[in-house]
Amino acid sequence: MLAPESPILENRTATAVSSSQPIKPIIHRPRRLRRTETLRRMVRENALRVEDLIYPLFVMEGEGQREEVPSMPGCYRYTLDLLLDEVKQAYQLGISAIALFPLIPYDQKDNAGTESYNPNGLIPRAVRAIKQAVPEMVVITDVALDPYSSEGHDGIVQDGKILNDETVAVLVKQALVQAEAGADFVAPSDMMDGRVGAIRQALDAEGWINVGILSYAAKYASAYYGPFRDALDSAPKFGDKKTYQMDAANAREAIKEVEMDIAEGADIVMVKPALAYLDIICRIKQHTNLPVAAYNVSGEYAMIKAAAQQGWIDENKVILETLTSIKRAGADLILTYFAKQVALLLQQ
Ligand code: PBG
């Protein structure tokens, strides 16, 4: 019991001074470390950094146009000229990497995804232009057939089935064309078996030893990809992707997939989607010393935007909390359509 004249200082409870009751000792008071913002910052375990962000971008043919994706408010498909402005802005905000996805006109699509390895196709042209305009930007290209497939599948279709090895042969051509155009990383998102090894071998054989592979190692068959398929007009024309993308109920299988991709030469492994799969991110992080990426996918973006538009949540706070949770789960890198918005928030 203190003398009544003892001053009440910030770090002492008023009860000590005013009450005659003895203060009950509690050995640990975790709230001590939460008392001020400075203290909270000191003991903060994870921090989102702009360097963690990879910005996915949609590119389309044409000039001087951008089209908002209806199910992804604030996200656009850009013609190449306007895409360059967007990439410059992103780079100025400190974003170091972009992931490119093309909207392919329907008349260029076929079952074999032939346009995917056209050296003068939209993606190779975009990569060359970006590398010329912003050489420091890390450019990641998607390796998969779906934007180019008349069937909307990630592989060649025969009798309603997705062919594996025939598809891998096309993916290898696609990856080589992307490397040739100047991509820093190729990112196979198709989930065919053996594609990482085949791509690594082909890249090395052609001398592209410094082109990395960011593998979509644990990619689930997810309903969260809906808005992305709107953006690229790439929804499957029949069936679903469950014979190649993973079953949402499986966790050990994700480790198997990651181990295989590492053995085949992946430089970075990815888990996708992120939010419904935070446990997978956490397990993979414990399992490998490779950098782990997570894809905060289109449906995750759309849900936050939609709730915010209704005024039901505080958009900026929910975005930061969400991306921090992905970081905390173990992701070193986060692909997110919020990248620019977050880069701005992190500057405040
Ligand atoms: C396709 C691909 C998809 C996404 C990235 N690459 C969709 C799919 O597998 O159907 C989804 C990304 C997103 O939803 O943001 N290879």
Side-chain angles (χ1 to χ4, degrees):
M1 182 57 202
L2 293 154
E5 65 276 13
S6 299
I8 297 171
L9 295 175
E10 168 111 25
N11 295 337
R12 176 186 288 151
T13 174
T15 319
V17 180
S18 64
S19 158
S20 57
Q21 294 294 313
I23 295 169
K24 196 167 159 253
I26 298 177
I27 293 174
H28 287 293
R29 289 183 184 269
R31 289 183 57 190
R32 259 179 220 135
L33 299 178
R34 295 181 204 135
R35 198 169 46 82
T36 66
E37 180 52 26
T38 314
L39 279 166
R40 290 191 292 272
R41 263 212 306 268
M42 281 172 65
V43 299
R44 190 158 289 151
E45 298 172 40
N46 293 287
L48 198 57
R49 307 173 315 154
V50 69
E51 292 85 352
D52 305 332
L53 306 173
I54 298 174
Y55 187 21
L57 285 166
F58 302 125
V59 58
M60 63 179 185
E61 297 285 2
E63 229 178 286
Q65 280 182 57
R66 60 170 208 177
E67 290 170 1
E68 192 168 35
V69 181
S71 49
M72 300 176 74
C75 263
Y76 301 83
R77 311 174 184 106
Y78 298 92
T79 55
L80 190 41
D81 50 345
L82 297 191
L83 183 76
L84 291 180
D85 295 340
E86 185 68 8
V87 173
K88 283 178 201 156
Q89 275 181 37
Y91 190 71
Q92 277 158 11
L93 285 168
I95 294 168
S96 3
I98 56 162
L100 288 177
F101 298 95
L103 173 73
I104 301 297
Y106 200 80
D107 60 9
Q108 289 176 16
K109 299 189 186 194
D110 60 23
N111 183 25
T114 315
E115 179 61 21
S116 68
Y117 55 90
N118 174 0
N120 293 312
L122 182 55
I123 287 292
R125 274 182 279 129
V127 173
R128 282 193 289 268
I130 291 166
K131 277 291 167 186
Q132 196 157 34
V134 195
E136 297 304 316
M137 183 61 99
V138 172
V139 176
I140 303 168
T141 47
D142 188 62
V143 180
L145 298 192
D146 51 318
Y148 308 92
S149 159
S150 48
E151 308 298 313
H153 275 287
D154 292 40
I156 302 169
V157 178
Q158 192 177 71
D159 302 328
K161 301 226 161 54
I162 314 305
L163 302 179
N164 193 89
D165 300 10
E166 293 79 352
T167 298
V168 170
V170 180
L171 298 174
V172 164
K173 293 190 205 172
Q174 186 182 13
L176 285 173
V177 163
Q178 294 171 348
E180 182 94 46
D184 297 289
F185 283 84
V186 294
S189 70
D190 55 288
M191 290 299 277
M192 297 301 120
D193 295 333
R195 88 285 206 214
V196 171
I199 291 170
R200 183 70 271 161
Q201 237 182 349
L203 287 173
D204 284 359
E206 300 283 324
W208 303 110
I209 56 169
N210 292 326
V211 173
I213 299 181
L214 192 177
S215 122
Y216 288 62
K219 176 171 177 179
Y220 286 85
S222 172
Y224 285 95
Y225 307 150
F228 174 95
R229 294 175 188 170
D230 294 342
L232 299 188
D233 190 17
S234 64
K237 292 283 182 286
F238 69 90
D240 52 38
K241 299 194 174 184
K242 288 182 179 169
T243 67
Y244 43 108
Q245 298 179 348
M246 286 178 57
D247 188 315
N250 293 356
R252 285 186 304 153
E253 192 189 5
I255 296 174
K256 178 178 88 178
E257 284 281 2
V258 164
E259 276 178 348
M260 286 170 48
D261 284 6
I262 293 173
E264 289 176 35
D267 297 278
I268 302 174
V269 287
M270 196 200 298
V271 175
K272 177 185 175 189
L275 288 184
Y277 301 87
L278 291 177
D279 59 321
I280 307 298
I281 297 172
C282 186
R283 288 201 205 197
I284 301 295
K285 184 55 174 276
Q286 286 163 8
H287 201 79
T288 177
N289 293 322
L290 258 55
V292 175
Y295 202 140
N296 175 222
V297 298
S298 58
E300 300 170 6
Y301 175 89
M303 291 193 302
I304 291 179
K305 284 288 175 184
Q309 282 183 348
Q310 296 286 329
W312 292 340
I313 57 172
D314 181 324
E315 178 173 339
N316 287 339
K317 286 183 178 161
V318 169
I319 293 171
L320 289 176
E321 184 177 335
T322 301
L323 296 191
T324 302
S325 80
I326 298 171
K327 194 80 202 286
R328 189 189 65 233
D332 301 289
L333 299 165
I334 305 173
L335 285 88
T336 180
Y337 303 98
F338 292 119
K340 257 178 70 185
Q341 199 171 341
V342 169
L344 278 167
L345 289 172
L346 291 177
Q347 286 176 357
Q348 288 168 14

